[in-house]
Amino acid sequence: MRALTYQGPFKVRVENKPDPRLEHPQDVILKVTRTAICGSDLHLLHGLVPDTRVGHTFGHEFTGVVEELGSEVSQLHKGDRVVVPFNISCGTCFYCQRGLTASCENSNPSSDVACGVYGYSHTTGGYDGGQAEYVRVPFADVGPLKIPDGMEDEEALFLGDILPTGYMGAEMGEIKGGETVVVFGAGPVGLFAMRSAWLMGAGRVIAVDCVQYRLDFAERYAKVETVNFREVDDIVLYLKELFEGRGPDVCIDAVGMEAEGSLGQRVLGLGLKLEAGAPTVLTWCIDVVRKGGNVSIVGVYGPPWNLMPIGTAMNKGLTLRMNQCNVRRYMPHLLQHIREGRIDAKGIITHRFPLEEAPKAYHLFAQKQDGCVKCVLTPGYA
């Protein structure tokens, strides 16, 4: 099959790899129909995630058609169209039984930090991802969600990661109605966090970024106010003053380890690797949010530690909530939001490429060129 492969920092290419095969009675093999490039894939591309091995196939957002089934698979049939959560969960362990599928004990038993994840490093199990013509899906009766007839693959594609992640980011902010919300990061996860904040009853939502076309897109797509932090003297003071000097009720970090805004943090975290990325946005969230407010963290940070103002958070009485998204919990609910028109999931797609042009798509997405917000790849098409 044709598949994208990692060749070292800043290098990927599409080449021939052996087709995946059934390795367990609960596996299925999917023929991939759509797959996307995620901001988390850029952390891998840039060499920021340990044990990312040459030859590995990225991609944790994908839809596909069931081609082969293991003998114990009962919920799926050949020909079913499905969307697959990025995290691999067994459905039976201590955490899965409590709905915490992102903490599954059985899909990546060698680590106490993360469950199995498609197309990520070997620290998350080494499972090949979906930026390929075919992919193996373990525990197939647990994760995949059937795509309803009459629904396009691209409408369902983002149920596998960024839509549930953005929704959970808003949910962890405990928005009950009327709250003020600042979302740092106007990328795909941030956009869905903004839309979700409105669905939960937010009274005011502001997007913060430094790429103007992304802010313009957020204003159109999510109907939010926007701030370019490069155009104000001090983003913390600026945001606090927008909310009577106190700050907003909720801050959402939808950026993570590759944040702009602090040269020192980028040198320490991304250049010298002395901390797990640049926690600039995390620091801003803690400083900006009002006393007693909520900070929600869905941007990805690498283990094991960051220089962050935990003392400020403690003394302000903040609630910090964070997690890799328990995707499967949210998929049916968000599917309904899409089908009933409350969320235009495919509306964030700005670029489509055949799989063979994946290196070009990665470059475009990473360099934020041509107004790129979200890239989708289609295997098997020239």
Side-chain angles (χ1 to χ4, degrees):
M1 69 173 182
R2 300 293 284 169
L4 176 130
T5 61
Y6 176 68
Q7 299 298 315
F10 300 93
K11 296 178 183 178
V12 291
R13 68 173 179 235
V14 178
E15 58 185 8
N16 290 321
K17 288 184 69 169
D19 289 353
R21 58 183 179 82
L22 298 173
E23 298 179 16
H24 188 275
Q26 297 175 20
D27 290 351
V28 300
I29 303 299
L30 291 188
K31 182 177 182 179
V32 178
T33 55
R34 292 292 188 278
T35 183
I37 300 174
C38 181
S40 299
D41 294 326
L42 299 185
H43 305 327
L44 299 166
L45 178 69
H46 297 159
L48 299 174
V49 182
D51 206 11
T52 303
R53 301 184 187 181
V54 170
H56 191 58
T57 295
F58 296 166
H60 55 268
E61 295 179 300
F62 54 89
T63 59
V65 177
V66 176
E67 289 275 301
E68 297 181 61
L69 301 98
S71 60
E72 294 182 8
V73 177
S74 61
Q75 301 302 310
L76 298 178
H77 301 88
K78 187 172 182 179
D80 284 345
R81 293 186 306 136
V82 297
V83 57
V84 181
F86 78 86
N87 33 34
I88 302 169
S89 49
C90 70
T92 60
C93 72
F94 176 90
Y95 294 107
C96 287
Q97 287 292 298
R98 288 158 176 78
L100 302 174
T101 52
S103 300
C104 176
E105 293 178 305
N106 290 327
S107 60
N108 187 27
S110 63
S111 172
D112 193 41
V113 175
C115 69
V117 175
Y118 294 101
Y120 225 63
S121 85
H122 277 63
T123 60
T124 59
Y127 296 88
D128 267 338
Q131 291 171 9
E133 291 183 302
Y134 296 92
V135 63
R136 180 177 76 95
V137 175
F139 304 112
D141 279 342
V142 178
L145 178 73
K146 292 181 184 179
I147 301 173
D149 293 339
M151 189 175 193
E152 298 175 18
D153 289 359
E154 287 184 356
E155 292 179 288
L157 175 59
F158 302 132
L159 288 170
D161 178 8
I162 56 174
L163 177 50
T165 296
Y167 187 89
M168 187 186 75
E171 181 184 72
M172 290 192 301
E174 298 184 342
I175 301 168
K176 298 179 176 64
E179 286 84 1
T180 53
V181 181
V182 172
V183 179
F184 289 89
V189 171
L191 290 168
F192 284 137
M194 297 169 208
R195 291 292 292 264
S196 300
W198 288 128
L199 284 174
M200 295 173 191
R204 187 180 184 187
V205 182
I206 295 177
V208 179
D209 205 298
C210 66
V211 181
Q212 191 58 46
Y213 81 75
R214 288 172 29 133
L215 290 169
D216 294 341
F217 191 95
E219 190 171 342
R220 295 192 304 272
Y221 177 80
K223 306 296 189 271
V224 295
E225 303 169 59
T226 62
V227 178
N228 187 324
F229 68 76
R230 295 202 188 282
E231 296 181 358
V232 299
D233 292 333
D234 186 314
I235 187 61
V236 173
L237 292 178
Y238 181 87
L239 289 171
K240 289 182 79 69
E241 287 304 313
L242 289 181
F243 301 97
E244 300 178 333
R246 298 188 186 91
D249 300 304
V250 180
C251 281
I252 300 174
D253 176 355
V255 179
M257 70 171 74
E258 292 193 71
E260 299 282 352
S262 170
L263 177 61
Q265 292 284 15
R266 287 184 66 84
V267 169
L268 278 174
L270 306 182
L272 300 178
K273 309 292 193 296
L274 295 179
E275 57 177 335
T280 310
V281 168
L282 181 53
T283 300
W284 285 347
C285 286
I286 290 171
D287 288 342
V288 167
V289 75
R290 66 164 173 80
K291 296 174 185 178
N294 294 320
V295 174
S296 173
I297 307 164
V298 289
V300 174
Y301 290 93
W305 61 277
N306 286 90
L307 297 171
M308 61 168 285
I310 193 64
T312 301
M314 183 270 179
N315 284 294
K316 290 180 70 174
L318 305 184
T319 297
L320 276 63
R321 295 188 64 189
M322 63 210 83
N323 201 6
Q324 290 284 3
C325 184
N326 300 300
V327 172
R328 195 59 178 83
R329 171 191 294 181
Y330 298 99
M331 292 174 82
H333 178 61
L334 293 173
L335 177 67
Q336 284 300 111
H337 277 313
I338 295 170
R339 298 193 75 185
E340 294 171 11
R342 288 184 288 273
I343 296 177
D344 176 14
K346 67 179 287 189
I348 69 166
I349 300 172
T350 54
H351 292 73
R352 296 172 175 86
F353 295 92
L355 177 65
E356 293 294 329
E357 295 183 22
K360 175 183 175 181
Y362 264 90
H363 178 77
L364 189 82
F365 186 48
Q367 298 302 313
K368 299 180 175 64
Q369 296 177 350
D370 194 36
C372 183
V373 174
K374 189 66 175 181
C375 286
V376 171
L377 305 174
T378 305
Y381 289 82

